[in-house]
Amino acid sequence: AYKDNKLSTYLSNYSITDILIDSYGFLWAATSQEGIFLYDNGKWYHYFNFEGLPFDVVYCIMEDREKNIWLGSISGAAKISYRQILIFSEVEGLENLYVNSIYQKRDGTLWIGYRGGISKFEPEKLTFLKIEDEKLKKVIVRAICEDLDGNLLLGTHDDGLFIMKGRDIYPILLDGKKQLDRIYNMHFIPIKGTYIATKKGFYLWNGKEISGF
């Protein structure tokens, strides 16, 4: 990786798409043009296309329970483990390579979202299994989270909020009538529920209804 302790002086020139502070306290920054940056002990490390990363456009970044770093990009997904990079693309079951979101549930299952649906990671096979559902074929899944009951929540670009209970997927409507506007992010907090950031406000899903702030 390229190393430069002065990167912070021009990091403001990059479009930062996501950030992460991992379990070791390291700061990761994903960008829309220049791969990812890692801040460690006062120095910035730059990982991009010419440094082993297979893509420069990174949409999301997360850490799983095994302390692996996952990236979602314009060209599929990647897992960074012990400074080794494992790539996931069409061969591993990713039909749509624009991975917008990655989430690991409390039960340990890992999910990714993209244009046209979601897929579940199968660690034994190192592949992704696409969840087939007609309602998701034309949506862009921008955010994935879970609720108090462990159901998967899917936040979309322009098609509102969906919930997956078992194999059933259906929309959650505000006041039972209106879909939420563009969903940017979601965050689960035990006991309270799932907080939802949208184009028009901030909401909470408590497992039964959506309430605004």
Side-chain angles (χ1 to χ4, degrees):
Y2 175 69
K3 179 174 64 177
D4 188 347
N5 59 2
K6 296 182 180 179
L7 273 173
S8 57
T9 60
Y10 59 88
L11 199 59
S12 60
N13 295 325
Y14 298 132
S15 176
I16 307 299
T17 55
D18 201 4
I19 58 173
L20 167 73
I21 298 178
D22 67 21
S23 56
Y24 298 106
F26 300 148
L27 172 63
W28 298 78
T31 76
S32 63
Q33 294 177 320
E34 296 291 337
I36 57 174
F37 293 88
L38 168 64
Y39 189 69
D40 175 17
N41 196 27
K43 294 182 180 179
W44 286 98
Y45 295 82
H46 188 192
Y47 295 87
F48 56 106
N49 189 263
F50 296 105
E51 294 289 341
L53 198 66
F55 39 72
D56 289 333
V57 180
V58 181
Y59 294 132
C60 58
I61 183 168
M62 64 85 69
E63 181 183 28
D64 66 18
R65 291 182 178 182
E66 288 73 39
K67 304 187 188 317
N68 302 306
I69 302 298
W70 287 83
L71 309 174
S73 81
I74 195 174
S75 305
K79 181 176 76 170
I80 301 176
S81 177
Y82 300 107
R83 298 189 180 276
Q84 294 182 338
I85 301 177
L86 185 61
I87 308 303
F88 299 91
S89 57
E90 296 103 328
V91 176
E92 291 77 27
L94 294 186
E95 296 179 10
N96 191 304
L97 298 180
Y98 286 73
V99 177
N100 299 304
S101 54
I102 306 177
Y103 182 78
Q104 187 174 37
K105 291 177 60 179
R106 286 169 290 173
D107 63 10
T109 56
L110 189 140
W111 299 79
I112 66 169
Y114 42 82
R115 181 190 295 271
I118 56 173
S119 291
K120 179 183 177 181
F121 182 55
E122 298 186 313
E124 299 83 7
K125 301 178 182 179
L126 290 178
T127 58
F128 281 90
L129 175 65
K130 179 169 180 164
I131 306 302
E132 299 290 346
D133 192 283
E134 287 292 329
K135 292 183 285 295
L136 299 181
K137 282 192 173 182
K138 296 183 179 181
V139 308
I140 301 175
V141 179
R142 294 191 58 159
I144 302 178
C145 201
E146 64 183 309
D147 67 8
L148 291 168
D149 297 319
N151 300 309
L152 201 66
L153 296 175
L154 312 175
T156 71
H157 186 70
D158 280 321
D159 295 280
L161 179 68
F162 289 82
I163 186 170
M164 180 176 178
K165 289 187 175 182
R167 296 184 178 181
D168 297 326
I169 298 176
Y170 54 89
I172 298 176
L173 301 177
L174 182 62
D175 297 326
K177 301 177 181 179
K178 181 182 177 183
Q179 74 177 31
L180 293 179
D181 284 290
R182 186 171 301 172
I183 297 172
Y184 295 118
N185 205 351
M186 296 189 288
H187 186 72
F188 172 75
I189 296 180
I191 302 177
K192 292 187 177 181
T194 306
Y195 290 89
I196 307 166
T198 79
K199 182 180 179 181
K200 294 185 178 179
F202 191 44
Y203 298 88
L204 172 66
W205 166 252
N206 64 6
K208 296 181 179 180
E209 61 182 2
I210 298 175
S211 57
F213 287 84

